[in-house]
Amino acid sequence: MSTLVSEDASMDLETVGWVGDARSGHVRLIDQTLLPNEFVRIDLTDVPGVWEAIKTLRVRGAPAIGVAAGFGAVIGARSGTDTRLSLREATAYLRTSRPTAVNLFWALDRMDRVAAEHPELYGAELVDRLLTEALAIESEDKAMCRAIGAFGASLLTPGQGVLTHCNAGGLATADYGTALAVFFSAHAAGKAIHVFADETRPLLQGSRLTAWELQRRGIPVTLICDNMAAQVMKEGKIQMVVVGADRIAANGDAANKIGTYGVALLAKAHGIPFYVAAPSSTFDLSIPDGSHIPIEQRDPREITHGFGRMTAPAGIDVYNPAFDVTPADLIAGIITERGVITPVTTATIQRTFIA
Amino acid sequence: MSTLVSEDASMDLETVGWVGDARSGHVRLIDQTLLPNEFVRIDLTDVPGVWEAIKTLRVRGAPAIGVAAGFGAVIGARSGTDTRLSLREATAYLRTSRPTAVNLFWALDRMDRVAAEHPELYGAELVDRLLTEALAIESEDKAMCRAIGAFGASLLTPGQGVLTHCNAGGLATADYGTALAVFFSAHAAGKAIHVFADETRPLLQGSRLTAWELQRRGIPVTLICDNMAAQVMKEGKIQMVVVGADRIAANGDAANKIGTYGVALLAKAHGIPFYVAAPSSTFDLSIPDGSHIPIEQRDPREITHGFGRMTAPAGIDVYNPAFDVTPADLIAGIITERGVITPVTTATIQRTFIA
């Protein structure tokens, strides 16, 4: 149940949003699987459509998935005669779209909770309240990302070169990103910076998404293969590295896209500060350190059959970890919506979040 | 002027060789642009065919290019009524196929020199002598690679994991390789090793060629993306890194495929010894250190259109250095056909080559 809405790129780019009122509105999101060749927004008017969009990575990035799921719950709630029952069925179903995505569960739990907290609401009134909550998830994300951008931009000096890995951009959030928010904010403040984007094998989020986001905002960006980062650092082109995070342990160890740990080691070897940009919801204070974060293995075909043709021998053994963990001692600071945590220790993190 | 000769893979794999006698024989080589999907040998019967094969990387790797060029000179010499004139025209033309390949010039100079050293030979007699020289280039390469393999294998212990980058295999030489010769030799000696092969963006020589060579010899190999090397090292899977080299300065600084320098830094961070395997012809004692090695920039489309379709935004800026230089102090040893040079210093290198 999707309609294609192709349109010109505009500067303020909403990754996922709500169109219309609570009764008849729907989800509209950028189909990220088509980028950068096609910029297409799709309209999703039922829960299976939202489920499929999350499942197939049309929408990806923890915060963006949370926003999409919240809106999906609104659509689900109004799909039957019993609003509460329909909501429960929708949130249960949406949870199966990406079982490992922490923000998906967080957003759906929040939708269920707001219904439970308002037993007095029925039908259209409850749907109205649910949309208010989903819009709050979206607007809170927008505000957090802008705060991260502002704090991070203060660390940058005009003329500096920066490097990022994967896509922690607007496309991974409601609209402004985490690591890329730092660059957007610096650029908006008139600080001339030059971004080097790792292409980020195997799925090329760096070349497909990060390079595209920076290019359309007019921020100078140079695309490199992942294995060129060391050479670019050696040539003195990089003064700071900023990446996102999927999950941060209580001591600051940070899980992020595979390759991030290597970039952190290369940055250290060249004396370049390495920063992580992430909202407070990324911290998991229940795990003491990164050794408690399991490393997901992904489909070997992402490596052997990337982009439409086979580029490795048939039957070859492949190791394809989805992410790695960068130890806190390689991280100069974590840029959050509450400020920059530095040095990165269990104590400084606790001070930030339990105050 | 090429005939397709598809055949089953055999263990002893000649990358480039001569078929027939001096008068009517021709060059036969593996078309590396078709690997790993198709294993095809092509027969080249004229100089333009050899030129095209070098130009388009059907044959690549410094030693293999040298061997192909030597045979090409033989074909050229017999193509006109004046053998000496025809030879000179052929070698001049073949030099233009890959103007930056040091071994190409080295091999063609050697063919010209042998003609100059034998003014008493004419016609068929000279062609015979030229073929003898070209076959000597080939057999010397085979012997050097086997010596490198034997010296390198002595550094390995059964059960170890090793990592390599790009393809310094049989396909880069007459038949046995440099870095991969170390693994072939260890395997032949009954030492169980496990090789991790970096895919090596942008042209994927690791996944297309190295993984294929190891797989067909029955050596356990696991393919990874370049950005996974750090994680594999962190997990304790790697006890040694071995790579090839394109050019080594007098102090041991070694130029090799882009990404090699980064691997060397990651190996150092994990306390893993990093070795370079290369024949003595790779050393350029006329340059004191790696700062004198210019870094060639290659076509941006290798990065933006690498997998048969566009995977980056149109018009994006790209940085695509073909190789990098690993400083000698990151290299535990250089494995040559004369032994392992360690530690790597101007003095130990001079002792090996000027004795």
Side-chain angles (χ1 to χ4, degrees), chain A residues 201 222 235 261 270 317 319, chain B residues 199 222 235 261 270 317 319:
Chain A
R201 280 280 285 155
T222 298
E235 292 176 17
Y261 166 58
H270 294 92
D317 181 53
Y319 186 62
Chain B
E199 65 173 8
T222 298
E235 292 177 17
Y261 166 58
H270 293 92
D317 181 53
Y319 186 61

Side-chain angles (χ1 to χ4, degrees), chain A residues 30-36 56-59 208-209, chain B residues 309:
Chain A
I30 297 169
D31 186 346
Q32 299 188 39
T33 62
L34 301 177
L35 287 172
T56 63
L57 312 190
R58 295 188 201 284
V59 59
R208 293 192 304 108
L209 308 179
Chain B
R309 68 180 178 91

Side-chain angles (χ1 to χ4, degrees), chain B residues 23 47 52 86 105 177 190-191 239 256 288 291 295 330 355:
Chain B
R23 186 123 352 148
V47 173
E52 191 269 353
S86 298
F105 295 94
K191 288 182 180 174
Q239 281 70 50
N256 192 43
S291 69
I295 304 287
L330 294 176

Side-chain angles (χ1 to χ4, degrees), chain B residues 129-167:
Chain B
R129 182 62 190 83
L130 289 169
L131 179 58
T132 300
E133 194 67 17
L135 289 169
I137 293 173
E138 182 190 18
S139 62
E140 287 166 22
D141 181 74
K142 291 183 179 184
M144 281 195 302
C145 288
R146 278 165 181 77
I148 289 170
F151 283 119
S154 68
L155 301 169
L156 277 166
T157 305
Q160 286 190 324
V162 293
L163 183 137
T164 190
H165 188 74
C166 197
N167 176 263

Side-chain angles (χ1 to χ4, degrees), chain B residues 207-220:
Chain B
S207 57
R208 293 192 304 107
L209 308 179
T210 294
W212 181 82
E213 284 196 52
L214 291 161
Q215 184 190 49
R216 65 181 293 285
R217 285 182 182 261
I219 300 174

Side-chain angles (χ1 to χ4, degrees), chain A residues 143-169:
Chain A
M144 282 194 302
C145 288
R146 278 165 181 76
I148 289 170
F151 282 120
S154 69
L155 301 168
L156 277 166
T157 304
Q160 287 190 322
V162 293
L163 183 135
T164 190
H165 187 74
C166 197
N167 176 262

Side-chain angles (χ1 to χ4, degrees), chain B residues 306-330:
Chain B
F307 300 90
R309 68 180 178 91
M310 190 168 77
T311 54
I316 197 76
D317 181 53
V318 167
Y319 186 61
N320 186 14
F323 55 87
D324 55 32
V325 176
T326 300
D329 61 13
L330 294 176

Side-chain angles (χ1 to χ4, degrees), chain B residues 2-162:
Chain B
S2 67
T3 346
L4 299 187
V5 186
S6 185
E7 54 184 61
D8 288 337
S10 69
M11 194 60 85
D12 290 322
L13 187 71
E14 203 166 58
T15 303
V16 50
W18 182 263
V19 178
D21 61 15
R23 186 123 352 148
S24 62
H26 60 268
V27 183
R28 177 171 289 176
L29 54 82
I30 297 168
D31 186 346
Q32 299 188 38
T33 61
L34 301 178
L35 288 172
N37 298 326
E38 291 177 72
F39 176 65
V40 171
R41 284 205 167 94
I42 53 173
D43 288 344
L44 306 173
T45 56
D46 59 16
V47 173
V50 176
W51 185 93
E52 191 269 353
I54 297 171
K55 180 76 176 177
T56 64
L57 311 191
R58 296 188 201 283
V59 59
R60 30 84 35 211
I65 289 172
V67 173
F71 291 139
V74 177
I75 293 175
R78 69 184 192 210
S79 66
T81 48
D82 183 336
T83 307
R84 284 176 191 280
L85 177 63
S86 298
L87 173 69
R88 274 199 303 275
E89 287 175 354
T91 56
Y93 178 53
L94 287 169
R95 276 185 182 83
T96 65
S97 60
R98 281 195 75 186
T100 58
V102 172
N103 269 58
L104 173 68
F105 295 94
W106 169 83
L108 292 170
D109 287 349
R110 188 162 157 177
M111 298 303 287
D112 283 334
R113 194 166 56 241
V114 77
E117 287 168 359
H118 292 280
E120 77 284 7
L121 299 178
Y122 290 93
E125 284 182 336
L126 179 56
V127 174
D128 278 344
R129 182 62 190 83
L130 289 169
L131 179 58
T132 300
E133 194 67 17
L135 289 169
I137 293 173
E138 182 190 18
S139 62
E140 287 166 22
D141 181 74
K142 291 183 179 184
M144 281 195 302
C145 288
R146 278 165 181 77
I148 289 170
F151 283 119
S154 68
L155 301 169
L156 277 166
T157 305
Q160 286 190 324
V162 293

